[in-house]
Amino acid sequence: MAVKKIAQGINSVGAVDWDRKLFDELIPLPEGTSYNSYFIEGNEKTALIDTVDPVKTYELFKNLDSLGVKKIDYVIANHAEQDHSGSLPAVLKKFPDAKIVTNEKCKGFLKDFMPELNDGDFMTVADKQEISLGNRTLQFFLTPWVHWPETMVTLLKEDKILFTCDYFGSHVAVSDIFDTAHTYTSAKRYYAEIMSPFRNVIKKNMEIVRSINPVMICPSHGVVHTDPSKVMAWYDEWIKDDVKNYALVLYISMHHSMKAAAEHLADSLANKGVRTKLYNLSNADIGEIAMDLVDAATVIVCAPTVLAGVHPVAANIVYLFNALRTKTKFLSLITGWNWMEKAQEALAAMVPNFKGELIAPLKIQGYPKKADFDAIDAMAQAVVEKHKTINLI
Ligand SMILES: [Fe+2]
Ligand SMILES: [Fe+2]
């Protein structure tokens, strides 16, 4: 990413990672990502907000060099995760007078991740504490659990620009940090994958951001938000308890039996007025499923018995479903078997975080017959009735 002027004396100096295909060796990055870092000049002191993933340290330094930066006084660490903090040791080596400014909890995490850092490298700040850059002031607000316990945001007070790190971020690689063409989808995908398990805490942090009323939000992934009201309205929509008249049918099928059941169910739901999406888990993008889980009232998993348990591909998505603590109101299962049925028991035991209602599951022996298809139609009708009970239909 080339240096980009955000405002007078504020430049984006981070890096675009066009090539990265996975985050956490788990989350697909169909649009790549970026690690945004911001250099702020006051008339007495300078500050760098967040750093970059260590694989991109050279780009951060190239950008700082191109701005002629000779001295950094403060390096703000809003979050300890290494995609933002991993370059800290290199930054301190290049700018030995710099202090890492962060909260006490984040300091502990950073020292855990990077044992070469020591207490003398840090200046810790409390909630709402300020530091002066001369004619500019940085103020820190603790916003725990977006998405780690130490997360905070930094306000440049006079400019009313808020630096939020992962909060309001999006995994998207763009050459222009102001390129908002695809912001909604990439921000929703990011929220769904990273933030959604903490939505009840994020509700409180939304109030903090609302009270700050920033004119610009600069996250450390993706694009900046020049009209923060838009992304805040999206977050308000995503974090609320409401779901939509929307069902996800997630299936894995070895010899087409579960596929036939899942396709019949999807058609039956659609014919009965429920918007439905069918995912073949053998090639599904878990980020897309996570996005749909922000909206779906109902999820039905269709999976066969394998090795005296559930098919591991289905187990993987059900594990994620449970971990994401989704808003899903209704869940059901269709499990397949021939000489041993163990999938249903295994799946049902995997969702302790699910607080909704289980719609009577089905077991299908072999390829579905007329009675099985009738039972699937009855399951679809049960979904309709459940959606009516919460006024979705
Ligand atoms: Fe993070
Ligand atoms: Fe991040």
Side-chain angles (χ1 to χ4, degrees):
M1 186 193 292
V3 171
K4 188 82 181 180
K5 182 178 171 183
I6 302 294
Q8 189 58 42
I10 307 168
N11 282 282
S12 160
V13 291
V16 175
D17 200 336
W18 302 94
D19 289 342
R20 193 160 180 176
K21 300 292 181 230
L22 272 183
F23 200 82
D24 293 342
E25 301 298 342
L26 172 69
I27 300 168
L29 299 177
E31 300 177 291
T33 192
S34 66
Y35 319 109
N36 300 342
S37 175
Y38 302 91
F39 182 69
I40 303 174
E41 296 168 78
N43 63 357
E44 291 176 10
K45 307 264 187 182
T46 61
L48 186 69
I49 310 270
D50 293 328
T51 68
V52 297
D53 192 285
V55 300
K56 291 288 184 180
T57 305
Y58 71 98
E59 280 198 42
L60 173 67
F61 286 174
K62 187 177 71 178
N63 288 339
L64 289 169
D65 288 345
S66 79
L67 278 176
V69 174
K70 296 282 185 287
K71 184 167 175 281
I72 295 176
D73 295 288
Y74 304 116
V75 185
I76 315 303
N78 282 318
H79 175 31
E81 198 166 8
Q82 293 94 322
D83 51 326
H84 308 291
S85 70
S87 296
L88 280 170
V91 169
L92 291 197
K93 199 169 175 194
K94 185 175 170 77
F95 300 96
D97 295 330
K99 288 278 184 246
I100 300 168
V101 179
T102 193
N103 59 77
E104 197 64 47
K105 191 177 283 284
C106 189
K107 174 185 165 183
F109 289 175
L110 291 170
K111 285 174 67 186
D112 274 345
F113 290 142
M114 290 161 276
E116 61 267 57
L117 299 177
N118 56 60
D119 286 341
D121 296 324
F122 288 90
M123 175 190 298
T124 55
V125 290
D127 189 31
K128 298 191 178 59
Q129 193 171 330
E130 299 179 358
I131 60 173
S132 173
L133 305 180
N135 60 339
R136 284 178 150 147
T137 312
L138 296 174
Q139 188 175 22
F140 310 98
F141 294 83
L142 303 191
T143 51
W145 294 111
V146 289
H147 58 123
W148 280 19
E150 87 299 1
T151 43
M152 68 179 197
V153 297
T154 299
L155 174 67
L156 188 57
K157 275 184 91 171
E158 293 76 7
D159 302 79
K160 291 194 81 172
I161 297 176
L162 189 63
F163 298 90
T164 55
C165 199
D166 282 337
Y167 198 9
F168 304 115
S170 47
H171 281 312
V172 60
V174 282
S175 61
D176 180 357
I177 201 167
F178 290 101
D179 177 2
T180 54
H182 309 292
T183 314
Y184 178 85
T185 304
S186 53
K188 184 173 185 179
R189 175 184 275 267
Y190 192 88
Y191 165 82
E193 293 164 337
I194 308 285
M195 301 290 174
S196 64
F198 310 101
R199 65 190 180 86
N200 288 324
V201 190
I202 292 174
K203 286 175 186 170
K204 293 177 193 146
N205 291 317
M206 287 300 287
E207 292 312 310
I208 295 171
V209 176
R210 224 179 297 284
S211 70
I212 293 167
N213 193 25
V215 298
M216 192 188 298
I217 288 178
C218 296
S220 295
H221 292 293
V223 297
V224 300
H225 304 284
T226 52
D227 178 0
S229 68
K230 280 189 190 165
V231 72
M232 290 176 68
W234 299 340
Y235 264 66
D236 285 339
E237 174 72 20
W238 300 332
I239 62 178
K240 68 184 183 188
D241 294 334
D242 298 14
V243 289
K244 297 187 166 69
N245 179 30
Y246 189 28
L248 306 184
V249 179
L250 313 175
Y251 79 92
I252 183 78
S253 189
M254 297 187 294
H255 298 287
H256 306 292
S257 299
M258 284 294 98
K259 179 178 166 69
E263 288 179 346
H264 187 87
L265 175 63
D267 284 348
S268 191
L269 285 164
N271 289 337
K272 291 172 172 42
V274 179
R275 186 164 72 91
T276 302
K277 193 159 170 184
L278 183 71
Y279 280 99
N280 180 347
L281 296 174
S282 69
N283 56 22
D285 174 336
I286 60 170
E288 271 184 48
I289 295 176
M291 274 195 284
D292 279 328
L293 286 169
V294 174
D295 298 321
T298 295
V299 172
I300 298 121
V301 180
C302 310
T305 297
V306 182
L307 300 172
V310 66
H311 194 292
V313 171
N316 184 48
I317 201 70
V318 173
Y319 177 89
L320 286 171
F321 169 85
N322 183 64
L324 289 172
R325 297 171 184 270
T326 68
K327 299 189 278 188
T328 313
K329 306 293 185 208
F330 309 108
L331 174 68
S332 197
L333 310 169
I334 299 178
T335 50
W337 66 290
N338 183 10
W339 42 266
M340 175 191 274
E341 204 296 311
K342 289 286 185 185
Q344 198 159 108
E345 197 181 316
L347 283 173
M350 287 183 65
V351 289
N353 292 337
F354 173 62
K355 302 297 181 221
E357 193 177 335
L358 185 68
I359 294 176
L362 295 176
K363 294 180 181 180
I364 296 177
Q365 187 174 13
Y367 193 86
K369 289 89 178 166
K370 166 90 174 48
D372 297 311
F373 287 124
D374 289 347
I376 291 169
D377 288 334
M379 175 185 275
Q381 188 59 40
V383 171
V384 169
E385 299 306 324
K386 292 295 179 191
H387 284 204
K388 284 179 182 170
T389 64
I390 55 171
N391 301 316
L392 298 180
I393 298 177

